[in-house]
Amino acid sequence: MAINLNKPISWQNATGDTATMLDELQPNILKGHVRDVLTALFLKFDTPVGARTFLKSLVAPAKGTPPMKSARAHLDEAKAFVASKKAGTPYIGVGITAAGYAVLGVAKSKQPSDPLFQAGMQKSSLADPAPSTWDKPFKKDLHAIVIVADAAKGPHNAALAAVRALIAAASGVTEIGHQEGKGQKNKHKEGIEHFGYVDGRSQPLFLTEDIRNEMLTSDGTSNWDPGFAPNRAILPDPAAPNPTHHFGSYFVFRKLEQNVRLFKAEEEKLAERLKLIGKDKERAGALIVGRFEDGTPATMQSADGTHSPVPNNFNYDSDPDGAKCPHFAHIRKVNPRGSGGFEPAAAERLHIMPRRGQTYGKRKDKLNDGRIDNKPEGEVGLLFMCFNVNLAEQFEFAQKIWANNASFPAVPPGRAAPGLDLVIGQGKRPPIECPVTWGADPATAGALKTTSPLPQAVTMKGGEYFFMPSLAFLRAL
């Protein structure tokens, strides 16, 4: 039966070509793989023979079990863990740059053709810092990324050693850098980023089993439909033996350094300018992010406290004026949930992509110790990772047309433009218009206050566009 990727699929009931697709697809794309301990290796290929030998060895090593597993194997492991708590095997993912495909000798007509992928991230117009300021691995001669991750340090370290042994055994492959990531969790065991906010809650779900689980065990799906067609995450792998059965995905990697001390200090200053007192001071951060630290959406209530699970079943229908969650809030900018005003809701959904980020850096402070003076000013941040089928329509659209666009989303007549996304937006930051009292009519005197925006506390330190090919492609090298 032909593969239908125009609607969510059931992996447990997959047969025929759909089953073949899952058997040859890399993990972590259609469903996130646990990545509590992670290492990203950045590689340079010196010879096509060595590069091919190494990549093929990842799926067909001379000795032992192949270190890479399929999406199907990952899903089987995830199901077994739910049933018996049996730990799965480490995740190993491989992405190749356009320059890497050239070294491999893959004909241009067979390479992934997205123009932004072919040009590379350095050529993108994202208002990023100059590439000359990026970390060394991202400046030139980057041909591939290998990601090794697991829930525990021991299995991760063993898998990483095995991958590095394969690199050493294949002449003509050089590790030009690496980046370690380590997950952070709050008291509810939910993943958070360095500013202290729950991260990664709102994800597109491509599998019917995951959609049903969201509906039954979380806060429902009546206001926000998390179900997306897999054709928004995977596309035929043009260099694979059979592109109609073998799929891959464009992979974005960006290192985003966070100045935690600056961000937390500016949160307090914003609360002071808005004269927020007592528990209401926490709302200053929620105005910036769109959620309170525990994940409570600012549009749902004026204080935190709806954790476990973190709510995701909401839209902005009850807040068209941004009187609860400002239009400039991070989560409203990068997922307007039908309220952007530039496009129909269905068109907005085309820009959503699965995100697989991980925090990096070691903290010496306690996350919620009530202090600011001891917070890190650098060397910590987020390894932003996401999958795409169209880089211009997904990642770059979300960054340029949403986050970096001071006029997005559309606001009611007479209101000031929203300004940039104050978390990830790049560019000049105009003043922001903040609701002083949660939910108050903006026409009421004193309901809004125009004030200075937060200075940029997130700095892009480098990145690249990769294509994560099918296992069949790697096996056939």
Side-chain angles (χ1 to χ4, degrees), residues 17 61 120 240 249 287 328 349 351-352 362 364 378 431 446:
D17 294 344
S249 185
L287 296 178
F328 61 75
R349 289 174 66 87
H351 311 307
I352 304 299
K362 295 181 179 179
K364 297 180 181 179

Side-chain angles (χ1 to χ4, degrees), residues 354-373:
R355 309 175 317 281
R356 305 290 184 246
Q358 182 57 284
T359 50
Y360 73 88
K362 295 181 179 179
R363 299 282 293 264
K364 297 180 181 179
D365 63 309
K366 291 184 178 180
L367 195 64
N368 294 310
D369 60 7
R371 295 173 57 185
I372 293 177
D373 63 293

